[in-house]
Amino acid sequence: MTPPEAPRDAETPRGNTPPAASVCAQKSGLQIIKTRADFLRAARARKQGVGSMMVQARDRRDGTDAIRVGFTCSKKVGNAVARNRAKRRMREAARAILPSHGRPGWDYVLIGRANETAARPFEALKADLIFALHKLHGET
């Protein structure tokens, strides 16, 4: 199954449109972490566990102001359907919360938890992410 295509404009030739998911990330100002090395660097940095997820945060110190975010779930979360559902929920929570509560120049990795990420009410999931970000940045 192919992802839905993003809205086309007159300048974009047919067949060369990006998937809608990448357009959503661009509109929110977030960049997606894709390389294993970046995930490993975040794993060695600060961590904060909350009820619905684990959040890892790392100050890149590279002079850029982009907020980057990655998502992962282990097989403990469940089959592929369960893992993808958990990642979709975390992706939407990050899209809503990170532009206002994240810090420019930081990487964030959200790790789903078995039976918690998919079952938690969405408002509680967003509250968990806000709480984790405040703890990671040393705010009260």
Side-chain angles (χ1 to χ4, degrees):
M1 185 169 143
T2 59
E5 296 299 321
R8 292 189 321 113
D9 56 8
E11 299 170 8
T12 307
R14 188 165 200 76
N16 290 338
T17 56
S22 65
V23 174
C24 292
Q26 291 169 357
K27 286 183 181 178
S28 65
L30 301 176
Q31 293 180 357
I32 305 299
I33 297 174
K34 295 180 182 175
T35 62
R36 185 172 191 271
D38 289 333
F39 278 94
L40 293 176
R41 281 189 212 98
R44 290 191 303 265
R46 301 177 183 177
K47 300 173 181 68
Q48 179 64 48
V50 289
S52 58
M53 69 185 86
M54 171 73 74
V55 180
Q56 299 170 339
R58 171 183 167 263
D59 187 357
R60 287 192 313 273
R61 301 178 198 271
D62 63 356
T64 62
D65 287 340
I67 297 175
R68 299 191 321 169
V69 62
F71 308 93
T72 186
C73 289
S74 72
K75 288 190 176 183
K76 292 179 185 177
V77 173
N79 62 9
V81 174
R83 292 192 305 271
N84 286 334
R85 180 167 192 249
K87 285 191 279 189
R88 276 194 312 270
R89 289 173 55 86
M90 290 189 299
R91 195 175 300 125
E92 184 60 24
R95 188 197 60 75
I97 301 300
L98 283 179
S100 58
H101 290 83
R103 289 194 179 169
W106 282 64
D107 285 347
Y108 300 98
V109 175
L110 280 57
I111 304 170
R113 290 200 168 165
N115 304 323
E116 292 296 324
T117 306
R120 192 131 170 119
F122 190 68
E123 292 303 317
L125 190 75
K126 292 194 305 189
D128 285 347
L129 181 56
I130 292 170
F131 176 79
L133 292 173
H134 286 299
K135 294 292 271 188
L136 286 165
H137 296 305
E139 301 166 0
T140 56

